[in-house]
Amino acid sequence: MRRRAFLTLLGGAAAWPLAARAQTAMPVIGYLSGREANDKVEAAFHRGLKEAGFVEGQNVRIEYRWAQGQYDRLPALVAELLRRPVDVLFTTGGTVSALAAKAATTTIPIVFVTGSDPIKFGLVVSLNRPGGNATGVSFLVNVLTAKQFELLHEMVPRAKLVGFLANPINPNTESDIRNVRVAAESLGLLVHILNASKEDDIDAAFAALAERRADALLVSTDPYFQIRADQVAALAARHAMPTMYSFRENVTAGGLMSYAPSITDATRQAGIYTGRILRGETPSDLPVVQPTKFEFVINLRTAKGLSLTVPDKLLVAADEVIE
């Protein structure tokens, strides 16, 4: 009887909600990023966790893995995390991170931060009722292409030919290129597509822009270009190329300007969702969050270096001006 009672208890324990298990064992979060470590992003994730009642080292552990822009490493990094094992997977640094996690497990909850359409890539079945084991924040950066082109055109009204720097490895690239062509056509601009997935490719892309005498450049949202922010900013300065980015980190590195949702705010919200799941909620019941906070950043030093006069309209609209 005692053995039967023990086996019954053991079987029931497997069905306990995560919150109940956490009372006897500290839960573990697997943190997977396609980028390199980023103090501001990680701090935002911790803020969200704290809002949900979790503090690293006190009542939750976090296992970190960064692919550093080498996306082919992601499946192995996910496998490492699942062997730990982990209770929740948090993914950031590109859609590729979320896709790697989704391919690896259909049972461990996944909370993602992505700039793509999560329905299109099979991460969820709908935004309101995600279904399955994944939910998170989708800031749909690709739909902002028209606004980015508009701002770039206002900054450089003489521009006729604009380059678009994309990573062909990124699953968003094909749809991004379509969006770029539509946005450019609406403004009467021509677009030259440039592909880069390694350091030498970026050098070659700027050489091609110079050869084509491009007037400006739009950089895609691929995390690799954040990792190479210093290189891209230095090349843009060397070639006197006004450049629009999607994240402020590129602008603080010396880029001209950026416009996109706040990645730190999105990551904070993902931290909240991760904490809620640790307390027993399920991803299928948590709607995918869409951003409400956007950031428009201008680097005045860079504008002066490019001999650009920033229109008053843009200065007023900017959330941050670096002087």
Side-chain angles (χ1 to χ4, degrees), residues 155-293:
M155 179 70 81
V156 193
R158 62 175 175 78
K160 298 298 180 184
L161 175 62
V162 178
F164 178 62
L165 184 62
N167 186 345
I169 299 174
N170 192 309
N172 285 325
T173 295
E174 186 178 340
S175 60
D176 285 349
I177 290 173
R178 286 197 299 269
N179 293 332
V180 161
R181 293 191 189 282
V182 170
E185 184 178 357
S186 70
L187 292 170
L189 302 175
L190 299 175
V191 177
H192 181 50
I193 307 300
L194 303 137
N195 290 317
S197 57
K198 55 184 185 295
E199 184 176 347
D200 291 345
D201 291 344
I202 298 176
D203 292 328
F206 274 90
L209 284 174
E211 185 178 347
R212 292 289 298 268
R213 297 186 178 182
D215 302 302
L217 174 66
L218 174 63
V219 177
S220 79
T221 61
D222 189 275
Y224 182 70
F225 300 125
Q226 286 181 274
I227 294 172
R228 305 302 307 177
D230 291 338
Q231 178 190 5
V232 176
L235 286 167
R238 184 187 310 166
H239 291 276
M241 185 66 61
T243 305
M244 163 66 82
Y245 304 88
S246 292
F247 300 108
R248 69 179 302 279
E249 288 83 358
N250 292 96
V251 183
T252 57
L256 177 60
M257 58 183 183
S258 65
Y259 179 80
S262 167
I263 191 169
T264 53
D265 190 62
T267 306
R268 181 191 65 82
Q269 180 61 61
I272 294 172
Y273 263 21
T274 302
R276 289 175 63 176
I277 289 171
L278 288 175
R279 293 200 174 279
E281 295 188 59
T282 60
S284 60
D285 294 330
L286 295 173
V288 174
V289 177
Q290 297 192 58
T292 57
K293 183 178 180 180

Side-chain angles (χ1 to χ4, degrees), residues 93-115:
T95 306
V96 284
S97 301
L99 291 175
K102 185 72 172 176
T105 178
T106 58
T107 55
I108 302 297
I110 298 168
V111 178
F112 55 74
V113 171
T114 178

Side-chain angles (χ1 to χ4, degrees), residues 74-110:
L74 287 166
L77 295 177
V78 175
E80 283 182 22
L81 290 171
L82 294 180
R83 286 194 297 269
R84 294 298 300 171
V86 297
D87 297 291
V88 182
L89 281 168
F90 166 68
T91 72
T92 185
T95 306
V96 284
S97 301
L99 291 175
K102 185 72 172 176
T105 178
T106 58
T107 55
I108 302 297
I110 298 168

